[in-house]
């Protein structure tokens, strides 16, 4: 009977010290009659660690939650479990501190409902608005406004009504239309599981009654492929969690982004095959045809296929201490599909207090913004409002592997449909063969004054004398034309290198040996430049000179200006330089002359 109860996933959120832990402790205490074996079953179903509060003192439970928070639980989402006679619950206890907004996003991403707490003595705060905005952004429409600690203001009806009205005005502006205000005290339990002096309505009663049917259940069939299962030559299955709709043997399906069609042969599950499977079930499909299906592809109903695109408008919540500059490449993960993505434009960021749209050149920690995204490959998707699994994504730093942002795809940009790759008959190999050489990029990086331009010029002269077709892209020269509109902020430096990398790739496609001399201080952009080129055709040269050596040379007087505060964002002084970790060539300019360094590079090119 316990397993047949409906499941509600909800989160508690709000500002610091609004009483989330106390309220959860009260819910666990007031539902302590649930047998331990049933609580253990719920814990197993949820694949997480729960708190079994069936026979423990309420004060000790609250103290335990507080102690856990002091020990650092606020940097993660703590999941708690309880059940009543009619429903079982998973509650995400999300921290109220602004620096842990990322954890609130994690908890909200799978929630059916939200309990937004407000301290009755403080009213609506900035973090209340932030969490409410995120709930709306993440598609949570069932919201209860838990006005807590009412016992501390004597259950003042006028104060309760004023807070509820203040919040309702804000909620209407962000699209939260279904908000139920409840007066309660997490400490005494009034308004939680039993009536309060202001109302017979209780939080637990609301949680038991709220409707949780998702649009995914009635939507067309979609299954993102998580794993291609081929234990033997006679079986090839495609495993995943059904994101929406239902599927049965005989259904005609389309695999995206390839667009190939087939029919479902079997719906495999344990212990037996299924006649029909629904949204939320994990299954393995076999198809009647041998077609190419890979991890990250989406199997969809053929008569209702989903769109495929590589450019989108999306809402992004930035969750990292390091800012996001447009143009920097990140890994984007939508379900099992991973692609490389760049924010090409920040349309605006949103002031969660006033809902004002503000201009922004970068995203800082906890910023929420509307941006344009460009991917390195087309992906199958649906808008987040229609399908969380196929419209929600995370951004991952490619160097540190940290999750740095979360986002919601709104729609594909028109340019994604209007711009296509044009087939060209003359290949890069043919162009290189005509020149009798192999096109490649020689990327010199290092501090200003390290000797990059001098060495690059010597390499160019030497290769030209040997009859090689070359072109030298120098940092200063490029800023006189192609990049004359860019300054030296981090965002402009990212865009500077992105443009140069694209130009270098085109020149290498033409069969040229392209030599670049740029500080290019960030590993992420150098990695992006490398990934534009075929394997083995990008040679990174680290022109290594200690800061004191480079500064002593200071032929252009730039270090002196930077030290005097006349030149901002200068690499090595007030902007970092990230040395290469695996450069193909390292030049130590304290032990090697420029001529010797150039010869090392030339010999490497000739050896290939």
């Amino acid at each position: 009977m316990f397993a047949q109860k409906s499941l509600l996933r909800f989160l508690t959120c709000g500002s610091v010290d609004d009483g989330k832990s106390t309220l959860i402790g009260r819910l666990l205490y007031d539902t302590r009659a649930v047998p331990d074996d049933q609580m253990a079953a719920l814990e197993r179903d949820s694949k997480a660690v729960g708190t079994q509060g069936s026979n423990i003192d309420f004060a000790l439970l609250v103290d335990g939650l507080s102690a856990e928070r002091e020990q650092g639980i606020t940097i993660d989402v703590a999941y708690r479990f309880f059940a009543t006679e009619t429903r079982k619950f998973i509650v995400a206890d999300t921290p109220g501190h602004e620096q842990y907004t990322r954890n609130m996003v994690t908890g909200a991403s799978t929630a059916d409902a939200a309990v937004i707490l407000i301290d009755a003595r403080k009213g609506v705060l900035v973090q209340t608005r932030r969490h409410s905005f995120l709930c709306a952004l993440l598609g949570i429409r069932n919201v209860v406004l838990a006005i807590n600690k009412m016992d501390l203001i004597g259950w003042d009806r006028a104060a309760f009504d004023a807070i509820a009205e203040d919040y309702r005005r804000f909620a209407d502006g962000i699209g939260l239309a279904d908000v139920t205000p409840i007066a309660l005290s997490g400490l005494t339990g009034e308004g939680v599981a039993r009536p309060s002096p202001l109302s017979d309505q209780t939080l637990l009663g609301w949680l038991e009654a709220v409707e949780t049917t998702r649009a995914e259940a009635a939507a067309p069939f979609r299954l993102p492929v998580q794993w291609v299962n081929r234990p033997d030559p006679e079986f090839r299955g495609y495993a995943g969690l059904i994101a929406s709709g239902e599927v049965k043997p005989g259904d005609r399906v389309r695999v995206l982004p390839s667009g190939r069609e087939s029919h479902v042969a079997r719906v495999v599950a344990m212990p037996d095959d299924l006649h029909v499977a629904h949204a939320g079930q994990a299954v393995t499909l076999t198809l009647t045809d041998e077609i190419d299906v890979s991890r990250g592809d989406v199997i969809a109903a053929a008569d209702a296929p989903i769109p495929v695109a590589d450019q989108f408008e999306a809402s992004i919540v930035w969750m990292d201490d390091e800012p996001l500059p447009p143009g920097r490449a990140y890994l984007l993960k939508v379900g099992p599909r991973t692609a490389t993505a760049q924010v090409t434009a920040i349309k605006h960021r949103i002031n969660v207090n006033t809902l004002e749209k503000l201009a922004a050149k970068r995203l800082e920690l906890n910023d929420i913004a509307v941006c344009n995204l460009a991917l390195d490959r087309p992906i199958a998707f649906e808008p987040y409002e229609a399908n969380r699994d196929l419209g929600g994504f995370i951004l991952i730093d490619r160097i540190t592997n940290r999750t740095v942002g979360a986002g919601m795809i709104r729609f594909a940009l028109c340019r994604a449909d209007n711009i296509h790759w044009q087939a060209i008959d003359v290949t890069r190999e043919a162009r290189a063969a005509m020149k009798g050489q192999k096109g490649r990029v020689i990327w010199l990086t290092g501090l200003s004054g390290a000797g990059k331009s001098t060495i690059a010029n010597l390499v160019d002269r030497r290769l030209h004398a040997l009859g090689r077709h070359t072109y030298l892209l120098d940092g200063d020269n490029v800023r006189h034309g192609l990049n004359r509109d860019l300054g030296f902020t981090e965002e402009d430096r990212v865009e500077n290198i992105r443009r140069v990398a694209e130009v270098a790739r085109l020149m290498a496609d033409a069969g040229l040996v392209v030599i670049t001399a740029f500080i290019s201080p960030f590993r992420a952009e150098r990695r992006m430049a490398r990934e534009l080129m075929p394997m083995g055709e990008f040679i990174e040269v680290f022109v290594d000179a200690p800061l004191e050596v480079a500064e002593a040379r200071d032929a252009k007087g730039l270090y002196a200006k930077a030290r005097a505060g006349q030149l901002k964002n200068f690499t090595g002084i007030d902007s970092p330089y990230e040395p290469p970790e695996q450069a193909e060539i390292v030049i130590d300019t304290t032990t090697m002359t420029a001529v010797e360094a150039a010869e090392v590079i030339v010999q490497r090119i000739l050896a290939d």
Side-chain angles (χ1 to χ4, degrees):
M1 180 181 295
F2 181 76
Q4 296 174 351
K5 294 178 182 179
S6 65
L7 171 66
L8 177 71
R9 296 180 176 89
F10 72 96
L11 80 153
T12 59
C13 56
S15 195
V16 179
D17 296 328
D18 279 347
K20 291 182 292 298
S21 292
T22 302
L23 178 61
I24 292 173
R26 170 57 64 181
L27 286 169
L28 294 174
Y29 179 76
D30 285 345
T31 57
R32 65 190 183 281
V34 176
D36 285 344
D37 61 339
Q38 292 187 358
M39 190 64 71
L42 176 58
E43 183 178 325
R44 288 194 302 272
D45 289 345
S46 305
K47 298 180 181 179
V49 178
T51 296
Q52 298 192 23
S54 57
N55 290 298
I56 63 177
D57 182 78
F58 173 63
L60 290 177
L61 175 59
V62 174
D63 287 345
L65 288 170
S66 298
E68 285 182 342
R69 295 176 76 86
E70 290 172 3
Q71 293 168 13
I73 199 154
T74 53
I75 63 172
D76 294 307
V77 178
Y79 291 93
R80 309 292 177 184
F81 312 94
F82 65 97
T84 65
E85 292 300 321
T86 59
R87 177 172 265 177
K88 52 188 178 180
F89 302 90
I90 301 175
V91 52
D93 179 14
T94 62
H97 300 78
E98 183 176 350
Q99 63 266 39
Y100 299 133
T101 298
R102 71 191 75 181
N103 307 104
M104 183 269 168
V105 174
T106 300
S109 64
T110 58
D112 303 303
V115 176
I116 299 175
L117 275 82
I118 290 180
D119 187 329
R121 300 166 301 173
K122 301 175 182 177
V124 179
L125 302 176
V126 172
Q127 196 68 342
T128 313
R129 292 186 172 92
R130 183 186 303 277
H131 283 187
S132 300
F133 186 87
L134 288 169
C135 285
L137 196 64
L138 291 162
I140 299 175
R141 295 294 177 260
N142 298 308
V143 175
V144 61
L145 183 67
I147 302 179
N148 192 23
K149 305 184 183 182
M150 285 296 298
D151 55 315
L152 299 182
I153 62 169
W155 297 93
D156 186 330
R157 164 72 70 179
F160 171 80
D161 290 342
I163 292 172
E165 180 58 29
D166 184 21
Y167 183 84
R168 196 183 307 278
R169 287 194 298 269
F170 175 77
D172 288 344
I174 60 175
L176 285 180
D178 187 11
V179 178
T180 302
I182 298 177
L184 55 83
S185 169
L187 184 63
T188 66
E190 294 166 293
V192 180
R194 65 179 189 272
S196 75
L198 297 186
S199 174
D200 289 338
Q201 186 174 30
T202 66
L203 174 61
L204 193 57
W206 184 90
L207 291 171
E208 288 183 312
V210 66
E211 178 58 52
T212 61
T213 301
R214 289 189 176 184
E216 285 88 341
F221 168 68
R222 283 91 171 84
L223 182 140
V225 177
Q226 297 177 344
W227 181 42
V228 178
N229 184 11
R230 194 162 192 177
D232 60 67
E234 302 301 319
F235 183 90
R236 185 180 182 90
Y238 310 104
L241 189 73
I242 300 176
S244 66
E246 64 178 35
V247 65
K248 58 185 181 298
D251 284 352
R252 187 165 62 94
V253 294
R254 182 178 298 178
V255 178
L256 297 156
S258 71
R260 295 182 179 274
E261 293 190 4
S262 185
H263 289 81
V264 176
R266 296 171 58 192
V267 181
V268 181
M270 297 297 290
D272 301 309
D273 285 13
L274 300 177
H275 297 296
V276 62
H278 303 275
Q281 287 184 275
V283 297
T284 298
L285 302 183
T286 66
L287 304 179
T288 57
D289 302 286
E290 284 283 341
I291 61 176
D292 185 22
V293 183
S294 304
R295 172 180 166 83
D297 288 350
V298 177
I299 302 177
D303 58 353
I306 64 177
V308 172
D310 61 1
Q311 297 187 60
F312 308 95
E313 179 178 286
S315 297
I316 293 178
V317 182
W318 190 247
M319 306 187 301
D320 196 56
D321 292 327
E322 292 295 321
L324 176 149
R328 176 162 291 171
Y330 298 92
L331 294 179
L332 178 144
K333 190 172 178 62
V334 181
R337 168 70 73 181
T338 301
T340 299
Q342 294 174 308
V343 172
T344 55
I346 300 174
K347 291 189 169 181
H348 60 262
R349 67 179 181 86
I350 300 167
N351 182 325
V352 296
N353 237 354
T354 64
L355 302 183
E356 183 182 5
K357 297 177 180 179
L358 304 173
K361 291 187 175 182
R362 60 164 63 184
L363 297 186
E364 305 283 355
L365 177 65
N366 293 331
D367 275 350
I368 302 168
V370 175
C371 305
N372 286 349
L373 278 174
L375 278 57
D376 67 338
R377 69 198 68 181
I379 63 169
F381 78 99
E382 283 194 303
Y384 184 86
E385 290 80 1
N387 193 309
R388 290 186 182 185
D389 294 323
L390 296 172
F393 62 86
I394 60 172
L395 294 172
I396 303 168
D397 187 284
R398 301 192 308 162
I399 303 298
T400 65
N401 211 36
R402 295 192 314 272
T403 297
V404 293
M408 289 66 67
I409 294 174
R410 297 308 180 196
F411 53 82
L413 299 178
C414 292
R415 69 192 71 167
D417 294 326
N418 297 335
I419 301 175
H420 306 277
W421 283 103
Q422 175 64 44
I424 298 174
D425 292 334
V426 181
T427 65
R428 68 192 318 274
E429 290 78 13
R431 296 181 192 280
M434 177 175 284
K435 294 178 174 60
Q437 63 183 32
K438 184 178 180 181
R440 68 188 68 200
V441 173
I442 315 301
W443 193 281
L444 278 68
T445 175
L447 292 170
S448 177
K452 300 180 300 301
S453 295
T454 301
I455 295 170
N457 189 52
L458 290 170
V459 171
D460 192 29
R461 285 173 51 187
R462 179 89 165 89
L463 290 174
H464 183 73
L466 292 171
R468 299 300 177 100
H469 299 262
T470 65
Y471 197 86
L472 172 58
L473 292 170
D474 182 79
D476 282 357
N477 293 349
V478 168
R479 283 185 175 273
H480 283 293
L482 176 67
N483 293 345
R484 67 185 303 172
D485 59 318
L486 300 177
F488 291 91
T489 64
E490 182 175 350
E491 295 82 5
D492 284 348
R493 288 181 165 205
V494 170
E495 175 62 12
N496 182 55
I497 297 305
R498 188 195 69 80
R499 294 183 192 178
V500 169
E502 291 287 355
V503 170
R505 178 182 66 84
L506 292 174
M507 288 183 166
D509 279 351
L512 297 176
V513 175
V514 186
I515 307 151
T516 76
F518 293 82
I519 295 174
S520 47
F522 305 118
R523 294 190 186 107
E525 279 62 65
R526 296 196 300 265
R527 181 171 180 174
M528 175 272 297
R530 179 186 293 274
E531 290 176 350
L532 289 175
M533 297 295 297
M535 184 71 70
E537 295 186 17
F538 183 94
I539 299 175
E540 186 174 30
V541 180
F542 177 29
V543 183
D544 187 10
L547 177 61
E548 59 272 16
V549 173
E551 189 169 0
R553 294 169 180 168
D554 203 13
K556 302 173 185 176
L558 301 179
Y559 284 99
K561 290 182 180 179
R563 294 290 187 189
Q566 301 171 5
L567 192 59
K568 301 296 184 183
N569 303 310
F570 191 75
T571 303
I573 304 301
D574 56 355
S575 184
Y577 178 79
E578 300 172 356
E581 295 176 324
Q582 293 182 324
E584 281 78 7
I585 301 174
V586 177
I587 302 296
D588 184 351
T589 61
T590 64
T591 62
M592 189 179 297
T593 67
V595 173
E596 292 169 337
E599 191 60 28
V600 168
I601 298 170
V602 169
Q603 291 305 315
R604 170 63 183 268
I605 296 170
L606 297 178
D608 290 343

